[in-house]
Amino acid sequence: PDLKVTNMTMTYRGMTGSNAMFDLTLRVEGDKDGNHIAMDMSGKIVVDPKTSMPIELAMQGTIKMTGTVTAEGTMKMTERRVP
């Protein structure tokens, strides 16, 4: 599906070493083949303030699909950029 971020909030929480840490919440939605998918996630992101590149991301939340197929559950996502 063509997923789009429909809402996002980043709240600055200070520095961790030379990187900036933020709380992050987002809602992602999309439609495909008669189904609507919505994900609500929250967590933390660490960003290099010199490049604006994410260094670490840890989020979890819910996913729900309605329409032709109905499903719901939870998901967890972690990412770490290796230079």
Side-chain angles (χ1 to χ4, degrees), residues 29-72:
E29 296 184 75
D31 295 286
K32 182 165 176 121
D33 299 329
N35 294 304
H36 180 75
I37 299 169
M39 294 179 277
D40 290 298
M41 306 282 291
S42 63
K44 300 203 179 295
I45 186 169
V46 177
V47 176
D48 180 339
K50 293 176 187 159
T51 64
S52 300
M53 292 293 295
I55 304 297
E56 291 182 47
L57 174 70
M59 301 188 75
Q60 60 186 18
T62 60
I63 182 169
K64 186 173 186 178
M65 183 169 20
T66 55
T68 307
V69 176
T70 301
E72 61 182 276

